[in-house]
Amino acid sequence: MKQTHYLVIGSGIAGLTFAIKTASHFPDKKVTIITKSNASESNTKYAQGGIAVVMNQIEDNFQKHIEDTLICGDGLCDKEVVKMVVTEGPKRVQELIDWGTHFDKNKEGSLDLGKEGGHSENRVVHHKDQTGYEIERAILRKAHLQKNIEILDFHFAIDLITKDNCCLGIYALNEITNEILTFQADYTLLATGGIGQVYGHTTNPEIATGDGIAMAKRANATLKNMEFIQFHPTALFSKDLTSTFLISEAVRGFGAYLRNKEGNRFMLNYDKRGELASRDIVSQCIEKELKNSGNECVYLDCTHLDIISFKNHFPMIYERCYDIGIVIEKDWIPVVPAQHYVCGGIEVDCNGKTSIKNLFACGECSHTGLHGANRLASNSLLEALVYSDRIFNYLKVHTKTNLTINIPNLRTQNNQKLDANWVISTRKKLQILMQKNVGIVRNNQSLELTKSQLNSWKTEIESLKSNVLLTKEMCELENMIDTSLLIVKHSLKRTENKGGFVKN
Ligand code: FAD
Ligand code: SIN
């Protein structure tokens, strides 16, 4: 059994920023980060647009950011949480800068602030179109410099260990040796990120399989608002059910138009904010356009924009399109909505505490009350920064040592292998089912059918699991089934359409 004081699951913005602060405040305590891929792989790394934060109090102010967040959340945000996150944001972003993160500056030398859907002002701090890559680079470097942080990559968290509603640690799989390890910890933080892979067609990378959410559910933690799945309006069109490249909303903030095949700027027919209406609205309008026309995609038109400036702001997007034969100064970019973000998750209080003692959650896997029925663009990195700081501050005062309890091992590995094809094909079938029945517009009949299929896969995997070699792929599949079941059950329960949730 491995013992540590603070156990962090996940090495994205939520996990790393918590680990850095905690390790430097408690130099005599050990912080262990376990992460299932290489340490930088995360949703964080792919963030494009930036961090929404009021850094310029001349045109902008906290009240405007609060209002924009509340409007976007369609009446379901927790107002106190919104106020707290918005007002604490600037200090947290300054910390990232102090740790060596580079954000773009304008000619005057102040932060260059971008605009995205739902924002009434320019307030998105960014690093070209690779903000997440730059943040992840800086914080991972900082974490590596901290002597009492241990980062165990290619370690997969299987399940939480709980006793009397108290978290004692986790069981994890060493993906290289296939050994099942027991980690005992005073405090455990779930920072496992998103769920995109349950839809297949998603902007999220392969690691986003809802593991933390599923683990928390199996441990009987409270989960909230899982029906609110955010679909990003402008993912690069692809027919395949795979992760897809994002065309940042900042491109529309920069002035790009959305057109249908006939060339009409259709968003103006639906919302006076046009292309910069909030994400839920733009995605729902694109869905309508596609349904009515039978077309496969709509288009982002950047041909009227200053191309030198465009390339300077969005070099990665320009290159990626160029590589597939789309020359942005003359071609329209084919786009469709794709799953992007889960607004719900593991319910936490204002200090990131879950309903299980000594278990905290932070970042995309958590539900804080900030996003309500639809997240305002670029509020996610902000939320992770503010909450990791709040958890750290809470534990600064409340840390106690309780590493004495004896924990049984999970089980030894069994050598018999499960047919890998069954896992691969069931994962694919699940993605097709979720994409078809639990997308932007849902109905109870399809949700019921989906629930019954998911339950039958759940029974199957439970009975198989105990007799075979436990693999990451098998555990991910179980997590995807559990996460999908949560989305479906919460969707069935919701009777009122709000924000990103539409049922007819
Ligand atoms: P992540 O960054 O996803 O990190 C999760 C970590 O947990 C990973 O290291 C993963 O490997 C690990 N993990 C997961 N399961 C396990 C397990 N079982 N065992 C061990 N480790 C595990 N938000 C914004 O605010 N602004 C943006 O501009 C923006 N752009 C985006 C663009 C794209 C393409 C995407 C996909 C998202 C974007 N988002 C943006 C959303 C934002 O990036 C994420 O919500 C945020 O980065 C989540 O951070 P996190 O630390 O919670 O999780
Ligand atoms: C984007 O750049 O469009 C993504 C921003 C976000 O998800 O907040």
Side-chain angles (χ1 to χ4, degrees), residues 9-14 34-37 41-44 46-50 155-157 191-194 203-204 207 211 215 246 340-341 362-364 375 378-381:
I9 323 294
S11 53
I13 191 167
I34 81 155
T35 190
K36 72 177 178 177
S37 181
E41 190 58 5
S42 55
N43 275 7
T44 300
Y46 298 94
Q48 294 189 0
H155 278 63
F156 182 92
T192 46
T203 63
N204 293 189
I207 50 103
D211 300 342
M215 278 190 272
L246 179 73
H340 183 62
Y341 185 82
C362 187
E364 190 164 341
R375 174 177 67 98
S378 286
N379 261 358
S380 164
L381 296 171

mmCIF file of all heavy atoms in Angstrom, residues 9-14 34-37 41-44 46-50 155-157 191-194 203-204 207 211 215 246 340-341 362-364 375 378-381, ligand 1:
data_model
loop_
_atom_site.group_PDB
_atom_site.id
_atom_site.type_symbol
_atom_site.label_atom_id
_atom_site.label_comp_id
_atom_site.label_asym_id
_atom_site.label_seq_id
_atom_site.Cartn_x
_atom_site.Cartn_y
_atom_site.Cartn_z
ATOM 1 N N ILE A 9 -6.086 13.180 -8.437
ATOM 2 C CA ILE A 9 -6.308 12.353 -9.627
ATOM 3 C C ILE A 9 -6.508 13.301 -10.801
ATOM 4 O O ILE A 9 -7.550 13.942 -10.929
ATOM 5 C CB ILE A 9 -7.561 11.452 -9.504
ATOM 6 C CG1 ILE A 9 -7.755 10.920 -8.082
ATOM 7 C CG2 ILE A 9 -7.532 10.330 -10.538
ATOM 8 C CD1 ILE A 9 -6.713 10.001 -7.605
ATOM 9 N N GLY A 10 -5.503 13.390 -11.649
ATOM 10 C CA GLY A 10 -5.617 14.231 -12.838
ATOM 11 C C GLY A 10 -4.562 15.331 -12.865
ATOM 12 O O GLY A 10 -4.284 15.954 -11.835
ATOM 13 N N SER A 11 -4.012 15.564 -14.051
ATOM 14 C CA SER A 11 -2.934 16.552 -14.180
ATOM 15 C C SER A 11 -3.291 17.653 -15.175
ATOM 16 O O SER A 11 -2.454 18.111 -15.939
ATOM 17 C CB SER A 11 -1.637 15.858 -14.580
ATOM 18 O OG SER A 11 -1.839 15.060 -15.729
ATOM 19 N N GLY A 12 -4.573 18.061 -15.177
ATOM 20 C CA GLY A 12 -4.984 19.246 -15.929
ATOM 21 C C GLY A 12 -4.871 20.465 -15.021
ATOM 22 O O GLY A 12 -4.222 20.431 -13.959
ATOM 23 N N ILE A 13 -5.535 21.539 -15.407
ATOM 24 C CA ILE A 13 -5.408 22.798 -14.656
ATOM 25 C C ILE A 13 -5.884 22.658 -13.204
ATOM 26 O O ILE A 13 -5.262 23.211 -12.285
ATOM 27 C CB ILE A 13 -6.148 23.955 -15.391
ATOM 28 C CG1 ILE A 13 -5.791 25.303 -14.768
ATOM 29 C CG2 ILE A 13 -7.658 23.752 -15.424
ATOM 30 C CD1 ILE A 13 -6.226 26.499 -15.604
ATOM 31 N N ALA A 14 -6.948 21.892 -12.982
ATOM 32 C CA ALA A 14 -7.497 21.772 -11.621
ATOM 33 C C ALA A 14 -6.516 21.037 -10.714
ATOM 34 O O ALA A 14 -6.160 21.520 -9.631
ATOM 35 C CB ALA A 14 -8.846 21.047 -11.670
ATOM 36 N N ILE A 34 -1.789 11.217 -9.648
ATOM 37 C CA ILE A 34 -1.802 10.089 -10.581
ATOM 38 C C ILE A 34 -2.606 10.494 -11.818
ATOM 39 O O ILE A 34 -3.617 11.188 -11.730
ATOM 40 C CB ILE A 34 -2.273 8.761 -9.941
ATOM 41 C CG1 ILE A 34 -3.762 8.709 -9.861
ATOM 42 C CG2 ILE A 34 -1.649 8.456 -8.613
ATOM 43 C CD1 ILE A 34 -4.203 7.279 -9.845
ATOM 44 N N THR A 35 -2.096 10.112 -12.967
ATOM 45 C CA THR A 35 -2.720 10.552 -14.210
ATOM 46 C C THR A 35 -2.638 9.449 -15.245
ATOM 47 O O THR A 35 -1.628 8.738 -15.315
ATOM 48 C CB THR A 35 -2.088 11.882 -14.668
ATOM 49 O OG1 THR A 35 -2.854 12.418 -15.728
ATOM 50 C CG2 THR A 35 -0.623 11.739 -15.078
ATOM 51 N N LYS A 36 -3.693 9.268 -16.019
ATOM 52 C CA LYS A 36 -3.802 8.018 -16.770
ATOM 53 C C LYS A 36 -3.053 7.989 -18.098
ATOM 54 O O LYS A 36 -2.951 6.933 -18.718
ATOM 55 C CB LYS A 36 -5.260 7.658 -16.979
ATOM 56 C CG LYS A 36 -6.028 8.504 -17.961
ATOM 57 C CD LYS A 36 -7.431 7.920 -18.079
ATOM 58 C CE LYS A 36 -8.335 8.680 -18.971
ATOM 59 N NZ LYS A 36 -9.653 8.085 -19.126
ATOM 60 N N SER A 37 -2.564 9.131 -18.547
ATOM 61 C CA SER A 37 -1.830 9.141 -19.809
ATOM 62 C C SER A 37 -0.485 9.796 -19.530
ATOM 63 O O SER A 37 -0.008 9.752 -18.402
ATOM 64 C CB SER A 37 -2.654 9.901 -20.841
ATOM 65 O OG SER A 37 -2.004 9.925 -22.079
ATOM 66 N N GLU A 41 -1.394 15.278 -21.019
ATOM 67 C CA GLU A 41 -2.627 14.987 -21.767
ATOM 68 C C GLU A 41 -3.863 15.292 -20.911
ATOM 69 O O GLU A 41 -4.026 14.764 -19.804
ATOM 70 C CB GLU A 41 -2.626 13.518 -22.228
ATOM 71 C CG GLU A 41 -3.721 13.164 -23.211
ATOM 72 C CD GLU A 41 -3.718 14.006 -24.498
ATOM 73 O OE1 GLU A 41 -2.823 14.818 -24.703
ATOM 74 O OE2 GLU A 41 -4.672 13.841 -25.279
ATOM 75 N N SER A 42 -4.725 16.125 -21.432
ATOM 76 C CA SER A 42 -5.862 16.627 -20.641
ATOM 77 C C SER A 42 -6.730 17.494 -21.551
ATOM 78 O O SER A 42 -6.281 17.904 -22.622
ATOM 79 C CB SER A 42 -5.324 17.529 -19.514
ATOM 80 O OG SER A 42 -4.524 18.560 -20.083
ATOM 81 N N ASN A 43 -7.935 17.792 -21.125
ATOM 82 C CA ASN A 43 -8.726 18.794 -21.867
ATOM 83 C C ASN A 43 -8.030 20.142 -21.812
ATOM 84 O O ASN A 43 -8.070 20.925 -22.764
ATOM 85 C CB ASN A 43 -10.137 18.919 -21.264
ATOM 86 C CG ASN A 43 -11.091 17.878 -21.817
ATOM 87 O OD1 ASN A 43 -10.670 16.976 -22.549
ATOM 88 N ND2 ASN A 43 -12.356 17.984 -21.478
ATOM 89 N N THR A 44 -7.410 20.418 -20.667
ATOM 90 C CA THR A 44 -6.726 21.708 -20.488
ATOM 91 C C THR A 44 -5.796 22.018 -21.658
ATOM 92 O O THR A 44 -5.802 23.134 -22.197
ATOM 93 C CB THR A 44 -5.917 21.684 -19.169
ATOM 94 O OG1 THR A 44 -6.820 21.457 -18.091
ATOM 95 C CG2 THR A 44 -5.167 22.984 -18.947
ATOM 96 N N TYR A 46 -5.883 21.390 -24.644
ATOM 97 C CA TYR A 46 -6.494 21.723 -25.938
ATOM 98 C C TYR A 46 -7.299 23.020 -25.909
ATOM 99 O O TYR A 46 -7.864 23.416 -26.920
ATOM 100 C CB TYR A 46 -7.373 20.559 -26.420
ATOM 101 C CG TYR A 46 -6.542 19.316 -26.641
ATOM 102 C CD1 TYR A 46 -6.399 18.366 -25.642
ATOM 103 C CD2 TYR A 46 -5.847 19.135 -27.833
ATOM 104 C CE1 TYR A 46 -5.589 17.246 -25.825
ATOM 105 C CE2 TYR A 46 -5.040 18.025 -28.023
ATOM 106 C CZ TYR A 46 -4.913 17.084 -27.012
ATOM 107 O OH TYR A 46 -4.105 16.003 -27.209
ATOM 108 N N ALA A 47 -7.380 23.654 -24.721
ATOM 109 C CA ALA A 47 -8.191 24.882 -24.632
ATOM 110 C C ALA A 47 -7.644 25.919 -25.600
ATOM 111 O O ALA A 47 -6.434 26.137 -25.683
ATOM 112 C CB ALA A 47 -8.182 25.409 -23.203
ATOM 113 N N GLN A 48 -8.544 26.551 -26.320
ATOM 114 C CA GLN A 48 -8.098 27.495 -27.355
ATOM 115 C C GLN A 48 -8.359 28.939 -26.942
ATOM 116 O O GLN A 48 -7.450 29.744 -26.795
ATOM 117 C CB GLN A 48 -8.824 27.191 -28.673
ATOM 118 C CG GLN A 48 -8.448 25.855 -29.273
ATOM 119 C CD GLN A 48 -9.022 25.669 -30.686
ATOM 120 O OE1 GLN A 48 -9.695 26.525 -31.233
ATOM 121 N NE2 GLN A 48 -8.747 24.516 -31.266
ATOM 122 N N GLY A 49 -9.661 29.276 -26.781
ATOM 123 C CA GLY A 49 -10.084 30.676 -26.620
ATOM 124 C C GLY A 49 -9.386 31.403 -25.490
ATOM 125 O O GLY A 49 -8.815 32.474 -25.680
ATOM 126 N N GLY A 50 -9.422 30.840 -24.276
ATOM 127 C CA GLY A 50 -8.728 31.472 -23.160
ATOM 128 C C GLY A 50 -9.494 31.445 -21.857
ATOM 129 O O GLY A 50 -10.351 30.587 -21.640
ATOM 130 N N HIS A 155 -0.946 5.872 -14.777
ATOM 131 C CA HIS A 155 -1.612 5.212 -13.646
ATOM 132 C C HIS A 155 -3.092 5.574 -13.738
ATOM 133 O O HIS A 155 -3.439 6.755 -13.806
ATOM 134 C CB HIS A 155 -1.056 5.706 -12.307
ATOM 135 C CG HIS A 155 0.217 5.023 -11.921
ATOM 136 N ND1 HIS A 155 1.370 5.122 -12.651
ATOM 137 C CD2 HIS A 155 0.500 4.200 -10.863
ATOM 138 C CE1 HIS A 155 2.320 4.404 -12.085
ATOM 139 N NE2 HIS A 155 1.820 3.830 -10.990
ATOM 140 N N PHE A 156 -3.917 4.572 -13.717
ATOM 141 C CA PHE A 156 -5.352 4.778 -13.937
ATOM 142 C C PHE A 156 -6.111 4.574 -12.626
ATOM 143 O O PHE A 156 -6.046 3.476 -12.031
ATOM 144 C CB PHE A 156 -5.831 3.770 -14.998
ATOM 145 C CG PHE A 156 -7.273 3.916 -15.351
ATOM 146 C CD1 PHE A 156 -7.659 4.735 -16.409
ATOM 147 C CD2 PHE A 156 -8.261 3.247 -14.628
ATOM 148 C CE1 PHE A 156 -8.995 4.891 -16.733
ATOM 149 C CE2 PHE A 156 -9.599 3.402 -14.950
ATOM 150 C CZ PHE A 156 -9.962 4.216 -16.004
ATOM 151 N N ALA A 157 -6.822 5.589 -12.163
ATOM 152 C CA ALA A 157 -7.638 5.439 -10.945
ATOM 153 C C ALA A 157 -8.847 4.565 -11.266
ATOM 154 O O ALA A 157 -9.614 4.879 -12.183
ATOM 155 C CB ALA A 157 -8.092 6.799 -10.446
ATOM 156 N N ALA A 191 -9.877 15.377 -10.024
ATOM 157 C CA ALA A 191 -9.703 16.467 -11.005
ATOM 158 C C ALA A 191 -9.577 15.819 -12.379
ATOM 159 O O ALA A 191 -8.643 16.069 -13.131
ATOM 160 C CB ALA A 191 -8.465 17.280 -10.651
ATOM 161 N N THR A 192 -10.552 14.951 -12.654
ATOM 162 C CA THR A 192 -10.446 14.019 -13.792
ATOM 163 C C THR A 192 -11.044 14.548 -15.094
ATOM 164 O O THR A 192 -11.032 13.846 -16.102
ATOM 165 C CB THR A 192 -11.148 12.691 -13.431
ATOM 166 O OG1 THR A 192 -12.412 13.019 -12.850
ATOM 167 C CG2 THR A 192 -10.334 11.872 -12.455
ATOM 168 N N GLY A 193 -11.592 15.771 -15.080
ATOM 169 C CA GLY A 193 -12.005 16.398 -16.339
ATOM 170 C C GLY A 193 -13.317 15.873 -16.907
ATOM 171 O O GLY A 193 -14.215 15.451 -16.161
ATOM 172 N N GLY A 194 -13.418 15.892 -18.226
ATOM 173 C CA GLY A 194 -14.711 15.761 -18.912
ATOM 174 C C GLY A 194 -15.135 14.357 -19.317
ATOM 175 O O GLY A 194 -14.555 13.355 -18.899
ATOM 176 N N THR A 203 -15.084 17.446 -29.039
ATOM 177 C CA THR A 203 -13.828 18.208 -29.112
ATOM 178 C C THR A 203 -12.825 17.686 -28.087
ATOM 179 O O THR A 203 -11.678 18.103 -28.079
ATOM 180 C CB THR A 203 -14.087 19.694 -28.792
ATOM 181 O OG1 THR A 203 -14.571 19.782 -27.448
ATOM 182 C CG2 THR A 203 -15.104 20.306 -29.748
ATOM 183 N N ASN A 204 -13.272 16.804 -27.194
ATOM 184 C CA ASN A 204 -12.406 16.321 -26.108
ATOM 185 C C ASN A 204 -11.466 15.219 -26.597
ATOM 186 O O ASN A 204 -11.830 14.428 -27.466
ATOM 187 C CB ASN A 204 -13.246 15.708 -24.974
ATOM 188 C CG ASN A 204 -14.120 16.693 -24.230
ATOM 189 O OD1 ASN A 204 -14.692 16.352 -23.214
ATOM 190 N ND2 ASN A 204 -14.252 17.903 -24.707
ATOM 191 N N ILE A 207 -8.821 10.855 -23.428
ATOM 192 C CA ILE A 207 -8.827 10.617 -21.965
ATOM 193 C C ILE A 207 -10.154 10.990 -21.309
ATOM 194 O O ILE A 207 -10.396 10.645 -20.150
ATOM 195 C CB ILE A 207 -7.697 11.392 -21.239
ATOM 196 C CG1 ILE A 207 -7.680 12.873 -21.635
ATOM 197 C CG2 ILE A 207 -6.347 10.777 -21.477
ATOM 198 C CD1 ILE A 207 -8.249 13.785 -20.662
ATOM 199 N N ASP A 211 -14.314 9.355 -15.940
ATOM 200 C CA ASP A 211 -13.899 8.424 -14.887
ATOM 201 C C ASP A 211 -14.214 8.922 -13.468
ATOM 202 O O ASP A 211 -14.745 8.171 -12.644
ATOM 203 C CB ASP A 211 -12.386 8.139 -14.969
ATOM 204 C CG ASP A 211 -11.978 7.527 -16.300
ATOM 205 O OD1 ASP A 211 -12.860 7.014 -17.013
ATOM 206 O OD2 ASP A 211 -10.776 7.557 -16.623
ATOM 207 N N MET A 215 -16.674 7.191 -10.836
ATOM 208 C CA MET A 215 -16.142 6.692 -9.550
ATOM 209 C C MET A 215 -16.925 7.296 -8.384
ATOM 210 O O MET A 215 -17.251 6.607 -7.416
ATOM 211 C CB MET A 215 -14.663 7.102 -9.398
ATOM 212 C CG MET A 215 -13.710 6.210 -10.119
ATOM 213 S SD MET A 215 -12.018 6.619 -9.623
ATOM 214 C CE MET A 215 -11.628 7.873 -10.776
ATOM 215 N N LEU A 246 -11.381 21.687 -32.907
ATOM 216 C CA LEU A 246 -12.260 22.817 -32.592
ATOM 217 C C LEU A 246 -11.853 24.057 -33.386
ATOM 218 O O LEU A 246 -10.673 24.345 -33.526
ATOM 219 C CB LEU A 246 -12.149 23.122 -31.095
ATOM 220 C CG LEU A 246 -12.992 24.292 -30.593
ATOM 221 C CD1 LEU A 246 -14.467 23.916 -30.550
ATOM 222 C CD2 LEU A 246 -12.537 24.738 -29.209
ATOM 223 N N HIS A 340 -18.813 19.099 -26.148
ATOM 224 C CA HIS A 340 -17.639 19.895 -25.770
ATOM 225 C C HIS A 340 -17.374 19.909 -24.263
ATOM 226 O O HIS A 340 -16.236 19.852 -23.829
ATOM 227 C CB HIS A 340 -17.869 21.325 -26.264
ATOM 228 C CG HIS A 340 -16.731 22.251 -26.028
ATOM 229 N ND1 HIS A 340 -15.480 22.058 -26.579
ATOM 230 C CD2 HIS A 340 -16.641 23.413 -25.297
ATOM 231 C CE1 HIS A 340 -14.673 23.046 -26.206
ATOM 232 N NE2 HIS A 340 -15.346 23.863 -25.421
ATOM 233 N N TYR A 341 -18.460 19.942 -23.464
ATOM 234 C CA TYR A 341 -18.266 20.213 -22.029
ATOM 235 C C TYR A 341 -19.457 19.660 -21.258
ATOM 236 O O TYR A 341 -20.579 19.657 -21.756
ATOM 237 C CB TYR A 341 -18.181 21.737 -21.836
ATOM 238 C CG TYR A 341 -17.871 22.144 -20.416
ATOM 239 C CD1 TYR A 341 -16.567 22.148 -19.951
ATOM 240 C CD2 TYR A 341 -18.892 22.502 -19.533
ATOM 241 C CE1 TYR A 341 -16.282 22.502 -18.644
ATOM 242 C CE2 TYR A 341 -18.607 22.857 -18.222
ATOM 243 C CZ TYR A 341 -17.300 22.862 -17.787
ATOM 244 O OH TYR A 341 -17.010 23.206 -16.495
ATOM 245 N N CYS A 362 -12.761 19.090 -8.321
ATOM 246 C CA CYS A 362 -12.443 20.409 -8.886
ATOM 247 C C CYS A 362 -12.368 20.308 -10.410
ATOM 248 O O CYS A 362 -11.986 19.270 -10.954
ATOM 249 C CB CYS A 362 -11.084 20.847 -8.332
ATOM 250 S SG CYS A 362 -10.637 22.529 -8.783
ATOM 251 N N GLY A 363 -12.716 21.404 -11.079
ATOM 252 C CA GLY A 363 -12.609 21.440 -12.543
ATOM 253 C C GLY A 363 -13.840 20.839 -13.196
ATOM 254 O O GLY A 363 -14.935 20.806 -12.609
ATOM 255 N N GLU A 364 -13.654 20.348 -14.405
ATOM 256 C CA GLU A 364 -14.818 19.943 -15.212
ATOM 257 C C GLU A 364 -15.621 18.802 -14.589
ATOM 258 O O GLU A 364 -16.832 18.704 -14.820
ATOM 259 C CB GLU A 364 -14.360 19.568 -16.638
ATOM 260 C CG GLU A 364 -15.525 19.366 -17.580
ATOM 261 C CD GLU A 364 -15.154 19.376 -19.055
ATOM 262 O OE1 GLU A 364 -14.064 19.875 -19.417
ATOM 263 O OE2 GLU A 364 -15.968 18.872 -19.846
ATOM 264 N N ARG A 375 -22.732 26.767 -19.847
ATOM 265 C CA ARG A 375 -21.525 27.491 -19.418
ATOM 266 C C ARG A 375 -21.212 28.653 -20.356
ATOM 267 O O ARG A 375 -21.223 28.495 -21.581
ATOM 268 C CB ARG A 375 -20.343 26.529 -19.402
ATOM 269 C CG ARG A 375 -19.011 27.189 -19.119
ATOM 270 C CD ARG A 375 -17.915 26.159 -19.041
ATOM 271 N NE ARG A 375 -17.666 25.531 -20.305
ATOM 272 C CZ ARG A 375 -16.689 25.871 -21.140
ATOM 273 N NH1 ARG A 375 -15.875 26.878 -20.837
ATOM 274 N NH2 ARG A 375 -16.515 25.214 -22.262
ATOM 275 N N SER A 378 -15.305 30.207 -21.963
ATOM 276 C CA SER A 378 -14.048 30.498 -21.250
ATOM 277 C C SER A 378 -14.197 30.703 -19.741
ATOM 278 O O SER A 378 -13.289 31.211 -19.084
ATOM 279 C CB SER A 378 -13.307 31.672 -21.904
ATOM 280 O OG SER A 378 -12.749 31.211 -23.118
ATOM 281 N N ASN A 379 -15.326 30.266 -19.193
ATOM 282 C CA ASN A 379 -15.508 30.297 -17.740
ATOM 283 C C ASN A 379 -15.014 29.022 -17.062
ATOM 284 O O ASN A 379 -15.052 28.926 -15.836
ATOM 285 C CB ASN A 379 -16.996 30.480 -17.394
ATOM 286 C CG ASN A 379 -17.335 31.935 -17.066
ATOM 287 O OD1 ASN A 379 -16.468 32.792 -17.052
ATOM 288 N ND2 ASN A 379 -18.604 32.196 -16.802
ATOM 289 N N SER A 380 -14.579 28.039 -17.849
ATOM 290 C CA SER A 380 -14.232 26.758 -17.238
ATOM 291 C C SER A 380 -12.835 26.763 -16.628
ATOM 292 O O SER A 380 -12.629 26.321 -15.488
ATOM 293 C CB SER A 380 -14.338 25.670 -18.302
ATOM 294 O OG SER A 380 -13.698 24.531 -17.877
ATOM 295 N N LEU A 381 -11.867 27.291 -17.369
ATOM 296 C CA LEU A 381 -10.504 27.378 -16.817
ATOM 297 C C LEU A 381 -10.542 28.270 -15.578
ATOM 298 O O LEU A 381 -9.880 27.999 -14.575
ATOM 299 C CB LEU A 381 -9.549 27.937 -17.874
ATOM 300 C CG LEU A 381 -9.361 27.059 -19.126
ATOM 301 C CD1 LEU A 381 -8.579 27.811 -20.204
ATOM 302 C CD2 LEU A 381 -8.643 25.753 -18.791
HETATM 303 P P1 FAD B 1 -8.575 18.071 -17.625
HETATM 304 O O1 FAD B 1 -7.740 19.171 -18.097
HETATM 305 O O2 FAD B 1 -9.324 17.307 -18.630
HETATM 306 O O3 FAD B 1 -7.633 17.059 -16.845
HETATM 307 C C1 FAD B 1 -8.138 15.803 -16.414
HETATM 308 C C2 FAD B 1 -6.964 14.943 -16.002
HETATM 309 O O4 FAD B 1 -7.423 13.780 -15.344
HETATM 310 C C3 FAD B 1 -6.127 14.455 -17.166
HETATM 311 O O5 FAD B 1 -4.778 14.539 -16.788
HETATM 312 C C4 FAD B 1 -6.548 12.996 -17.308
HETATM 313 O O6 FAD B 1 -5.597 12.182 -17.895
HETATM 314 C C5 FAD B 1 -6.783 12.632 -15.861
HETATM 315 N N1 FAD B 1 -7.661 11.488 -15.624
HETATM 316 C C6 FAD B 1 -8.935 11.324 -16.036
HETATM 317 N N2 FAD B 1 -9.409 10.129 -15.602
HETATM 318 C C7 FAD B 1 -8.410 9.542 -14.895
HETATM 319 C C8 FAD B 1 -8.263 8.306 -14.215
HETATM 320 N N3 FAD B 1 -9.245 7.389 -14.170
HETATM 321 N N4 FAD B 1 -7.095 8.042 -13.608
HETATM 322 C C9 FAD B 1 -6.057 8.921 -13.655
HETATM 323 N N5 FAD B 1 -6.130 10.088 -14.299
HETATM 324 C C10 FAD B 1 -7.290 10.404 -14.894
HETATM 325 N N6 FAD B 1 -12.377 26.192 -21.341
HETATM 326 C C11 FAD B 1 -12.125 27.505 -21.164
HETATM 327 O O7 FAD B 1 -12.394 28.055 -20.097
HETATM 328 N N7 FAD B 1 -11.557 28.218 -22.186
HETATM 329 C C12 FAD B 1 -11.240 27.681 -23.391
HETATM 330 O O8 FAD B 1 -10.723 28.356 -24.263
HETATM 331 C C13 FAD B 1 -11.522 26.307 -23.602
HETATM 332 N N8 FAD B 1 -11.274 25.724 -24.792
HETATM 333 C C14 FAD B 1 -11.460 24.382 -24.924
HETATM 334 C C15 FAD B 1 -11.108 23.770 -26.123
HETATM 335 C C16 FAD B 1 -11.204 22.394 -26.251
HETATM 336 C C17 FAD B 1 -10.829 21.735 -27.543
HETATM 337 C C18 FAD B 1 -11.668 21.620 -25.156
HETATM 338 C C19 FAD B 1 -11.769 20.134 -25.266
HETATM 339 C C20 FAD B 1 -12.058 22.236 -23.979
HETATM 340 C C21 FAD B 1 -11.949 23.602 -23.843
HETATM 341 N N9 FAD B 1 -12.311 24.245 -22.668
HETATM 342 C C22 FAD B 1 -12.065 25.584 -22.511
HETATM 343 C C23 FAD B 1 -12.752 23.479 -21.503
HETATM 344 C C24 FAD B 1 -11.549 23.312 -20.548
HETATM 345 O O9 FAD B 1 -10.389 23.081 -21.297
HETATM 346 C C25 FAD B 1 -11.751 22.169 -19.584
HETATM 347 O O10 FAD B 1 -13.015 22.217 -19.014
HETATM 348 C C26 FAD B 1 -10.701 22.238 -18.476
HETATM 349 O O11 FAD B 1 -9.412 22.283 -19.043
HETATM 350 C C27 FAD B 1 -10.831 21.048 -17.555
HETATM 351 O O12 FAD B 1 -9.727 21.027 -16.696
HETATM 352 P P2 FAD B 1 -9.631 19.871 -15.625
HETATM 353 O O13 FAD B 1 -8.341 20.069 -14.908
HETATM 354 O O14 FAD B 1 -10.879 19.800 -14.860
HETATM 355 O O15 FAD B 1 -9.585 18.517 -16.498
#
